[in-house]
């Protein structure tokens, strides 16, 4: 009895174990609300006595998930959706950043483009889908275009903001060192605007994820949005719920693995948060 | 034929006029009118004047960052109108790039000139050593104090090997103690590198301590009111009371500046009674 160390001491003595315990606690803290939600859902199904096609139970949804994975449907739909999403976000950023930089360099260009940009920003991408379908048909091109469209605006606005927050003296300092316009863009404007661009990408990606599902519901023959929408017509309601859950998990993963680190690296390493000191 | 004893003119400012339109007041202001100034090769010249007299504008025009309304800037007899690495500039707000560490900031001018990493390193290290920043090569600007940031900015300017160094109130934002150290270090660096320095300040003590000659500017529209030559060795300049000749020069500078402050009607700016 006496030789046995106290619980706290043993944890402190092995930091690896303490870290593992910490991690386990974090996982528990995050999953607990979801477990509660599952319980409420199951109880709701039992108490309501509604038919499965109307209000499927967690067990049915789990079974449906297994079946969709086994048949390879879910993996291939996820791959399709993510490919559209990634390419769309990439294209949106690739178009918006150069446009933003060009607009900050030329007052005339900015004055000419700004009203047009603001006009189109107010038109939701869903309104374009009938036209996109007419021009590009159902499928990849139409969905890609919708995503690129929604990513473009927040990235453009944040690029403009980012370049404008760069102090004039910083640009002057590079000019007196003999910088050409190309050098000013690469050495000052882009890195200086990067924290804002990262914020724009994060916002844009969030909009794009919604736009993806919406566009796939209307204009696709594959993908998560297609699955969610099409399942209802065949009374496979549990598939709709599988699609919704996968969407939520995918977004959490994208946020944690790509978007948050992107912002953290640019902002924290350069001390941008302290720039206002 | 120039004689061998005559020193060459490094920078010549010829009949400079600068007028600008102020968007807020919708008025055109005549900032500089008929300013002439010659800076000798290797000279340390301070430009002194009341705030708002256009002394910084003069420096920006020489740097090529502001286009004058009329007049010319000559460096080594050549007219200049655009920024170039022959005229290095040190800014009051340091203007380091926050996303580059000290080594990258100091080497930026060399990088822009097309030197690769291996070519840059010995030059960069030499100037980091000269300004006393050894051991801080990997620090980012936000990790440095104001004085250290300005040391890095001075090293960045020197590394490009400019013909002249333009300094726009470089020590105005650092604390008084650091300022004194920085002034002494600057004199040492100037003596080591023999660069021509044009140093803008509103502080009489600073101008008098640093310079070979002090050009006092008139209030707006500004031109050179008087140039005061200081022959006192810099080692004797810290105690004006012990060196009557230097004391007299400093008193003269105070008088000139005070007259201009009064002239500009700006009674709020430090007129001494």
């Amino acid at each position: 009895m006496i030789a046995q160390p106290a619980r706290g001491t043993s944890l402190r003595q092995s930091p690896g174990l303490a870290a593992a315990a910490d991690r386990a606690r974090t996982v528990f803290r995050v999953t607990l609300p979801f477990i509660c939600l599952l319980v409420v859902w199951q109880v709701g199904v039992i108490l309501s006595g509604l038919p499965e096609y109307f209000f499927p139970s967690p067990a049915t949804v789990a079974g449906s998930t297994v079946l969709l994975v086994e048949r390879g449907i879910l993996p291939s739909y996820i791959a399709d959706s993510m490919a559209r999403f990634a390419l769309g976000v990439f294209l949106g950023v690739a178009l918006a950043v150069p446009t933003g930089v060009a607009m900050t360099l030329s007052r005339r260009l900015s004055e000419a483009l700004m009203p047009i940009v603001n006009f189109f920003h107010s038109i939701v991408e869903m309104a374009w889908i009938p036209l996109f379908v007419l021009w590009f048909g159902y499928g990849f091109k139409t969905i890609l275009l919708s995503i690129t469209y929604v990513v473009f605006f927040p990235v453009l606005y944040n690029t403009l903001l980012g370049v404008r927050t760069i102090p004039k003296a910083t640009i002057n300092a590079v000019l007196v060192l003999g910088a050409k316009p190309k050098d000013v863009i690469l050495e000052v404007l882009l890195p200086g605007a990067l924290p804002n661009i990262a914020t724009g990408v994060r916002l844009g990606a969030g909009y794009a994820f919604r736009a993806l599902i919406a566009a796939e519901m209307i204009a696709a023959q594959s993908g998560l949005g297609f699955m969610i929408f099409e399942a209802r017509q065949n009374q496979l309601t549990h598939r709709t719920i599988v699609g919704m859950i996968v969407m939520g998990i995918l977004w959490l993963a994208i946020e944690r693995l790509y978007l948050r680190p992107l912002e953290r690296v640019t902002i924290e390493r350069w001390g941008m948060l302290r720039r206002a000191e | 034929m120039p004689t061998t004893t005559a020193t060459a003119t490094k920078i010549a400012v010829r009949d400079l006029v600068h007028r600008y339109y102020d968007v807020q007041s919708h008025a055109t202001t005549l900032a500089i009118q008929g300013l002439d100034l010659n800076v000798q090769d290797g000279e340390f010249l301070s430009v002194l004047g009341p705030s708002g007299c256009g002394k910084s504008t003069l420096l920006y025009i020489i740097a090529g960052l502001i286009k004058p309304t009329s007049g010319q800037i000559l460096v080594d007899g050549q007219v200049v109108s655009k920024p170039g690495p022959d005229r290095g500039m040190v800014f009051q707000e340091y203007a380091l790039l926050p996303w580059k560490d000290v080594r990258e900031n100091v080497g930026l001018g060399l990088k822009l000139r097309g030197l690769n990493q291996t070519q840059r390193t010995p030059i960069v290290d030499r100037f980091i050593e000269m300004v006393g920043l050894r051991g801080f090569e990997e620090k980012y600007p936000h990790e440095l104090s104001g004085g250290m940031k300005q040391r890095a900015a001075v090293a960045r300017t020197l590394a490009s090997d400019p013909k002249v160094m333009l300094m726009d109130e470089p020590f105005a934002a650092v604390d008084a103690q650091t300022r004194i150290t920085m002034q002494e270090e600057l004199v040492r660096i100037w003596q080591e590198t023999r660069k021509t320095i044009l140093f803008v300040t509103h502080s009489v003590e600073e101008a008098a301590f640093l310079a070979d000659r002090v050009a006092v500017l008139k209030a707006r529209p500004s031109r050179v009111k008087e140039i005061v030559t200081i022959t006192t060795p810099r080692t004797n300049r810290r105690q004006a009371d012990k060196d009557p000749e230097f004391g007299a020069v400093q008193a003269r500078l105070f008088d000139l500046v005070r007259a201009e402050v009064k002239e500009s009607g700006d009674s709020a700016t430090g007129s001494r009674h």
Side-chain angles (χ1 to χ4, degrees), chain A residues 59-97:
Chain A
T60 315
V61 170
S64 171
T65 309
V66 171
L67 193 71
L68 283 166
V69 172
E70 275 173 0
R71 288 193 189 161
I73 296 172
L74 192 57
S76 109
Y77 279 6
I78 290 174
D80 281 356
S81 289
M82 287 301 98
R84 292 162 184 159
F85 174 74
L87 194 58
V89 170
F90 174 79
L91 280 179
V93 175
L95 287 171
V97 172

Side-chain angles (χ1 to χ4, degrees), chain A residues 169-189:
Chain A
T170 313
I171 297 167
N172 282 339
V174 181
L175 286 175
V176 295
L177 290 171
K180 292 163 193 67
K182 171 203 77 167
D183 302 319
V184 175
I185 293 170
L186 293 179
E187 298 287 350
V188 185
L189 302 188

Side-chain angles (χ1 to χ4, degrees), chain B:
Chain B
M1 278 284 116
T3 61
T4 45
T5 49
T7 42
T9 299
K10 201 70 186 171
I11 311 172
V13 180
R14 298 272 164 78
D15 197 22
L16 196 69
V17 177
H18 186 61
R19 202 179 273 122
Y20 67 91
Y21 179 75
D22 187 44
V23 188
Q24 266 154 14
S25 64
H26 297 288
T28 305
T29 307
L30 186 59
I32 297 170
Q33 188 178 37
L35 192 148
D36 287 286
L37 182 66
N38 284 330
V39 188
Q40 306 306 317
D41 191 12
E43 179 180 33
F44 198 130
L45 189 136
S46 278
V47 176
L48 182 65
S51 49
C53 78
K55 51 192 189 303
S56 287
T57 308
L58 169 66
L59 215 58
Y60 275 73
I61 290 172
I62 296 172
L65 294 169
I66 295 179
K67 279 223 178 321
T69 308
S70 68
Q72 279 185 328
I73 306 295
L74 293 94
V75 175
D76 282 337
Q78 302 287 312
V79 175
V80 292
S81 57
K82 274 191 252 162
D86 56 329
R87 284 149 292 143
M89 187 153 172
V90 177
F91 299 83
Q92 184 184 331
E93 52 277 70
Y94 323 122
L96 297 170
L97 305 187
W99 47 88
K100 288 185 186 290
D101 65 16
V102 168
R103 177 172 279 131
E104 291 166 331
N105 265 292
V106 173
L108 184 59
L110 301 169
K111 186 183 171 192
L112 294 175
R113 219 192 292 158
L115 273 69
N116 66 33
Q117 186 87 49
T118 357
Q119 294 167 311
R120 296 202 293 265
T121 304
I123 306 170
V124 167
D125 286 349
R126 192 181 133 222
F127 287 105
I128 284 178
E129 171 92 55
M130 187 185 283
V131 300
L133 278 182
R134 228 171 110 182
F136 294 93
E137 289 90 343
E138 257 99 77
K139 295 279 182 211
Y140 283 84
H142 74 273
E143 300 172 289
L144 303 176
S145 69
M148 286 159 88
K149 282 182 205 169
Q150 202 54 293
R151 285 167 193 267
V154 168
R156 172 176 69 181
T157 304
L158 288 170
S160 287
D161 195 24
K163 289 176 179 169
V164 298
M165 201 147 92
L166 308 168
M167 306 187 79
D168 183 25
E169 307 207 29
F171 309 142
V174 300
D175 64 90
Q177 199 54 52
T178 309
R179 190 177 309 140
I180 290 168
T181 317
M182 297 289 286
Q183 288 165 355
E184 277 157 15
E185 298 254 310
L186 179 61
V187 167
R188 175 181 59 77
I189 289 167
W190 169 67
Q191 284 164 346
E192 230 171 282
T193 59
R194 283 283 140 204
K195 290 279 172 222
T196 307
I197 296 182
L198 193 57
F199 189 105
V200 161
T201 179
H202 62 264
S203 157
V204 169
E205 286 96 340
E206 186 166 70
F209 173 72
L210 291 171
D212 296 320
R213 293 193 300 153
V214 179
V216 182
L217 296 193
K218 281 181 70 65
R220 193 181 282 168
S222 84
R223 55 195 154 80
V224 177
K225 176 179 176 156
E226 193 170 320
I227 295 181
V228 176
T229 305
I230 308 176
T231 51
T232 314
R234 284 179 178 78
T235 44
N236 295 355
R237 290 189 190 182
R238 279 297 184 212
Q239 289 124 337
D241 49 330
K242 287 195 187 137
D243 191 316
E245 198 191 309
F246 183 66
V249 167
Q250 219 174 42
R252 170 97 189 109
L253 289 171
F254 267 120
D255 284 342
L256 288 166
V257 172
R258 194 176 322 159
E260 285 316 309
V261 171
K262 223 170 261 168
E263 184 76 14
S264 67
D266 192 0
S267 54
T269 35
S271 61
R272 287 156 51 118
H273 296 286

